[in-house]
Amino acid sequence: MSFHFLSLAETGASDPVTKITQEFGINLPGILAQMFSFAVVAFILWRFAFKPVLATLDERQKKIQSGLDYAEEMKAKLAASQQESAAQIREAQVKGQQLIAEAQKSAKAFLEKQQQEAVEQSNALIGKARSAIELEKQKMLAEARSEIARLVVATTQRVLAKDLTDADRARYNESAARELSNV
């Protein structure tokens, strides 16, 4: 298609719009009808296609944003939970160490107490044994004195060859016991 531009003088038309429409082959009622059709189609597409699609896209965008917000919130809660659990673990470790220290201290005190009681019991046993030994020693000395006194009296009686009365015997026994106790 070749375009041929005519000057206003060649066409003889005085109205420039009419001249342009004739030169380019523009049909004004056809253009207006096409514009009206386009407006109706655009309105129908906007109303029934674009608007629901945009609403769906907007709803999806809100859901995506809500999901991202929820994920961020959960990430923050997870971090807080991890920090809290780490703090609880540290606290439990500190309490455990304190319990161990208290148990060691208690065990040490119990051991010292047991050792002290054992020492006291052994000292008490030693004291009782010493007392028993001393009593036994005194008993043996008393028996030995009595026996020695009896032997002295018997020897004296034989030497003197006479029978002693009970009073004489008691006096000799006392006298021998005094002599032996001074020894």
Side-chain angles (χ1 to χ4, degrees):
M1 164 171 156
S2 74
F3 289 103
H4 181 253
F5 295 103
L6 299 173
S7 68
L8 287 175
E10 290 176 9
T11 58
S14 63
D15 185 15
V17 174
T18 308
K19 189 172 181 177
I20 291 175
T21 55
Q22 285 176 357
E23 277 182 26
F24 288 108
I26 298 174
N27 183 2
L28 193 59
I31 288 179
L32 290 177
Q34 285 180 357
M35 286 175 55
F36 179 73
S37 295
F38 178 77
V40 169
V41 169
F43 174 76
I44 290 173
L45 283 175
W46 175 257
R47 176 84 171 152
F48 297 108
F50 291 131
K51 196 172 184 181
V53 168
L54 289 176
T56 303
L57 287 175
D58 189 39
E59 183 179 330
R60 284 189 181 171
Q61 184 65 27
K62 285 179 183 177
K63 283 183 182 179
I64 290 170
Q65 186 60 41
S66 172
L68 290 174
D69 291 344
Y70 181 74
E72 286 296 321
E73 182 181 333
M74 288 301 113
K75 190 185 276 186
K77 283 184 179 180
L78 176 63
S81 175
Q82 287 175 340
Q83 288 177 348
E84 184 178 328
S85 65
Q88 287 176 345
I89 289 171
R90 283 190 299 273
E91 183 179 329
Q93 286 175 337
V94 168
K95 285 183 180 179
Q97 289 172 348
Q98 288 173 347
L99 287 174
I100 290 170
E102 288 176 14
Q104 288 174 341
K105 195 182 295 181
S106 176
K108 184 177 179 181
F110 180 74
L111 179 64
E112 288 174 359
K113 181 181 176 186
Q114 290 296 320
Q115 287 175 343
Q116 185 178 6
E117 286 178 4
V119 167
E120 288 173 1
Q121 287 177 354
S122 65
N123 287 339
L125 286 175
I126 290 171
K128 286 179 183 178
R130 284 183 180 159
S131 297
I133 290 170
E134 186 63 34
L135 286 175
E136 190 65 31
K137 179 181 167 184
Q138 288 176 1
K139 185 178 174 184
M140 286 175 50
L141 282 175
E143 287 177 4
R145 285 182 192 146
S146 172
E147 186 63 26
I148 291 174
R150 190 186 60 75
L151 288 173
V152 167
V153 168
T155 306
T156 305
Q157 188 176 20
R158 282 188 192 161
V159 168
L160 295 175
K162 82 175 199 183
D163 285 326
L164 295 175
T165 64
D166 287 334
D168 289 335
R169 230 182 258 148
R171 205 171 10 116
Y172 281 129
N173 283 340
E174 287 178 23
S175 164
R178 272 193 306 257
E179 290 295 324
L180 288 174
S181 64
N182 289 336
V183 174

Short mmCIF file of all heavy atoms in Angstrom, two decimals, residues 78-93:
data_model
loop_
_atom_site.label_atom_id
_atom_site.label_comp_id
_atom_site.label_asym_id
_atom_site.label_seq_id
_atom_site.Cartn_x
_atom_site.Cartn_y
_atom_site.Cartn_z
N LEU A 78 11.40 -19.99 68.34
CA LEU A 78 12.37 -21.09 68.40
C LEU A 78 13.68 -20.59 69.01
O LEU A 78 14.25 -21.26 69.88
CB LEU A 78 12.61 -21.67 67.01
CG LEU A 78 13.67 -22.77 66.91
CD1 LEU A 78 13.25 -23.99 67.72
CD2 LEU A 78 13.92 -23.14 65.47
N ALA A 79 14.12 -19.44 68.58
CA ALA A 79 15.36 -18.89 69.13
C ALA A 79 15.19 -18.60 70.62
O ALA A 79 16.08 -18.92 71.42
CB ALA A 79 15.75 -17.61 68.38
N ALA A 80 14.04 -18.03 70.99
CA ALA A 80 13.78 -17.75 72.41
C ALA A 80 13.71 -19.05 73.20
O ALA A 80 14.24 -19.15 74.31
CB ALA A 80 12.48 -16.96 72.57
N SER A 81 13.07 -20.05 72.62
CA SER A 81 12.96 -21.35 73.28
C SER A 81 14.34 -21.99 73.45
O SER A 81 14.64 -22.57 74.50
CB SER A 81 12.05 -22.27 72.48
OG SER A 81 12.01 -23.55 73.02
N GLN A 82 15.17 -21.88 72.42
CA GLN A 82 16.52 -22.43 72.51
C GLN A 82 17.33 -21.70 73.58
O GLN A 82 18.06 -22.33 74.35
CB GLN A 82 17.22 -22.35 71.16
CG GLN A 82 16.71 -23.35 70.15
CD GLN A 82 17.33 -23.16 68.77
OE1 GLN A 82 17.86 -22.11 68.45
NE2 GLN A 82 17.23 -24.20 67.94
N GLN A 83 17.17 -20.39 73.64
CA GLN A 83 17.88 -19.62 74.67
C GLN A 83 17.38 -20.01 76.05
O GLN A 83 18.17 -20.17 76.99
CB GLN A 83 17.71 -18.12 74.45
CG GLN A 83 18.48 -17.59 73.26
CD GLN A 83 18.22 -16.11 73.02
OE1 GLN A 83 17.30 -15.53 73.60
NE2 GLN A 83 19.02 -15.50 72.16
N GLU A 84 16.07 -20.16 76.17
CA GLU A 84 15.48 -20.54 77.46
C GLU A 84 15.95 -21.93 77.88
O GLU A 84 16.32 -22.15 79.03
CB GLU A 84 13.95 -20.51 77.37
CG GLU A 84 13.25 -20.80 78.67
CD GLU A 84 11.75 -20.71 78.54
OE1 GLU A 84 11.26 -19.90 77.74
OE2 GLU A 84 11.07 -21.47 79.25
N SER A 85 15.95 -22.87 76.93
CA SER A 85 16.40 -24.22 77.28
C SER A 85 17.89 -24.21 77.61
O SER A 85 18.33 -24.92 78.52
CB SER A 85 16.10 -25.20 76.15
OG SER A 85 16.83 -24.89 74.99
N ALA A 86 18.67 -23.41 76.91
CA ALA A 86 20.10 -23.31 77.24
C ALA A 86 20.29 -22.72 78.63
O ALA A 86 21.13 -23.19 79.40
CB ALA A 86 20.83 -22.46 76.20
N ALA A 87 19.47 -21.72 78.97
CA ALA A 87 19.54 -21.13 80.31
C ALA A 87 19.14 -22.16 81.36
O ALA A 87 19.76 -22.25 82.42
CB ALA A 87 18.65 -19.89 80.39
N GLN A 88 18.10 -22.94 81.07
CA GLN A 88 17.67 -23.97 82.01
C GLN A 88 18.74 -25.03 82.17
O GLN A 88 18.98 -25.53 83.27
CB GLN A 88 16.36 -24.60 81.54
CG GLN A 88 15.15 -23.70 81.70
CD GLN A 88 13.88 -24.31 81.13
OE1 GLN A 88 13.92 -25.28 80.39
NE2 GLN A 88 12.75 -23.73 81.48
N ILE A 89 19.41 -25.38 81.08
CA ILE A 89 20.49 -26.37 81.15
C ILE A 89 21.63 -25.84 82.00
O ILE A 89 22.17 -26.54 82.85
CB ILE A 89 20.97 -26.76 79.74
CG1 ILE A 89 19.90 -27.61 79.03
CG2 ILE A 89 22.30 -27.49 79.78
CD1 ILE A 89 20.17 -27.86 77.57
N ARG A 90 21.99 -24.56 81.77
CA ARG A 90 23.05 -23.96 82.58
C ARG A 90 22.65 -23.93 84.05
O ARG A 90 23.46 -24.25 84.93
CB ARG A 90 23.38 -22.55 82.09
CG ARG A 90 24.21 -22.51 80.82
CD ARG A 90 24.71 -21.11 80.52
NE ARG A 90 23.66 -20.13 80.31
CZ ARG A 90 23.06 -19.88 79.15
NH1 ARG A 90 23.43 -20.54 78.07
NH2 ARG A 90 22.11 -18.97 79.05
N GLU A 91 21.39 -23.56 84.32
CA GLU A 91 20.90 -23.51 85.69
C GLU A 91 20.92 -24.91 86.32
O GLU A 91 21.33 -25.08 87.47
CB GLU A 91 19.47 -22.96 85.71
CG GLU A 91 18.88 -22.78 87.09
CD GLU A 91 17.49 -22.20 87.05
OE1 GLU A 91 17.19 -21.42 86.12
OE2 GLU A 91 16.70 -22.53 87.94
N ALA A 92 20.51 -25.91 85.54
CA ALA A 92 20.53 -27.29 86.05
C ALA A 92 21.96 -27.74 86.32
O ALA A 92 22.21 -28.44 87.31
CB ALA A 92 19.85 -28.22 85.04
N GLN A 93 22.90 -27.34 85.46
CA GLN A 93 24.31 -27.70 85.69
C GLN A 93 24.82 -27.05 86.97
O GLN A 93 25.52 -27.69 87.76
CB GLN A 93 25.17 -27.26 84.50
CG GLN A 93 25.00 -28.12 83.27
CD GLN A 93 25.78 -27.59 82.08
OE1 GLN A 93 26.11 -26.40 82.01
NE2 GLN A 93 26.07 -28.47 81.13
#
